[in-house]
Amino acid sequence: MQRNEWKFPTYWVKVILDFDSSGWYASRLYLRSHGKLLEIGACLNEEERQELTQHLRNRITGCLT
């Protein structure tokens, strides 16, 4: 199993939950910073992906205050 490590500056990282406008496909969760886009959580179901999105946003906000 290949393991990759990505690092994003906390202040600049954006958590993006992108929904399919037609409703046919699952949402996609991304981390974005400085022109780099990383999809995460593809193996999660919709509810788990939304929970992870909220958790990440809360953690990032907590680090900045």
Side-chain angles (χ1 to χ4, degrees), residues 29-53:
L29 177 57
Y30 300 101
L31 298 178
R32 183 180 72 194
S33 180
H34 292 86
K36 294 182 181 177
L37 189 67
L38 174 66
E39 182 177 3
I40 62 172
C43 61
L44 303 176
N45 67 39
E46 192 64 38
E47 183 179 336
E48 293 169 329
R49 202 173 299 107
Q50 290 179 19
E51 288 175 9
L52 178 57
T53 300

Side-chain angles (χ1 to χ4, degrees), residues 2-24:
Q2 183 179 358
R3 181 180 172 148
N4 295 317
E5 183 175 322
W6 292 64
K7 293 185 181 187
F8 292 98
T10 305
Y11 188 78
W12 296 107
V13 69
K14 300 290 183 197
V15 179
I16 302 165
L17 185 60
D18 187 28
F19 291 97
D20 174 52
S21 60
S22 70
W24 282 79

